[in-house]
Amino acid sequence: MQLRKGKNLEERISSFLKLLKHHMKKLRVPASQADVVPLRLDAENEEFWKGEERIRLSRKPFAMLRLLVEQRPKWVSKDDFYHAIWQPKDEDVMDWTFTTYVHEIRRALGDETSPHRYVETGVNRGYRFIGTITDSEQCDQNSEAEVG
């Protein structure tokens, strides 16, 4: 498959996108991998947004996602989650609890299939956030600059 030299820009773009999809199939990369939507953390209101969609998470998975974002690109171990989120330590937390909550996070982000686009698992390391994130303040400043 080759890039077709069309008469106009629209034909050339269409040809390029077909070529890109063709090569992504060869690499076994899902087409959606190229369409990673940046997340936005609104720390003041304790909300995550994926584009214009608010991500709905229960309290503990939200806290875990927030910690992953705050610690990026570092790995966050199960012990790190436990010490940061389950205070005081009177609550007994099983290993499957972390796995279940990470699955809930991935489901909410639409990131359930490998290779993951937002939350990566590292054997004997933990988890880390690998997606794109923007600050709420940064988005507000950009909006104000566009209006002004």
Side-chain angles (χ1 to χ4, degrees), residues 57-109:
L57 287 169
S58 54
R59 188 177 180 152
K60 298 289 187 186
F62 176 86
M64 288 176 68
L65 180 55
R66 184 174 182 167
L67 184 63
L68 285 167
V69 167
E70 289 169 350
Q71 295 296 315
R72 73 183 186 285
K74 297 178 187 173
W75 292 99
V76 180
S77 70
K78 292 176 181 178
D79 284 341
D80 295 333
F81 283 127
Y82 181 75
H83 293 299
I85 298 168
W86 279 268
Q87 294 290 337
K89 298 176 189 172
D90 59 358
E91 198 173 339
D92 194 22
V93 181
M94 307 304 254
D95 275 356
W96 59 265
T97 304
F98 300 106
T99 306
T100 302
Y101 287 161
V102 168
H103 179 72
E104 184 179 331
I105 292 167
R106 286 181 174 146
R107 187 175 53 243
L109 296 174

Side-chain angles (χ1 to χ4, degrees), residues 44-56:
E44 185 177 324
N45 295 310
E46 295 190 343
E47 294 179 336
F48 275 99
W49 295 82
K50 183 179 175 187
E52 297 298 316
E53 176 188 357
R54 186 167 75 103
I55 298 170
R56 301 197 182 276

Side-chain angles (χ1 to χ4, degrees), residues 1-2 4 9-10 16-17 93 103 117 121 141:
M1 184 171 239
Q2 288 185 322
R4 213 176 90 213
L9 181 61
E10 188 175 310
F16 173 74
L17 290 175
V93 181
H103 179 72
R117 296 169 291 159
T121 303
Q141 289 171 357

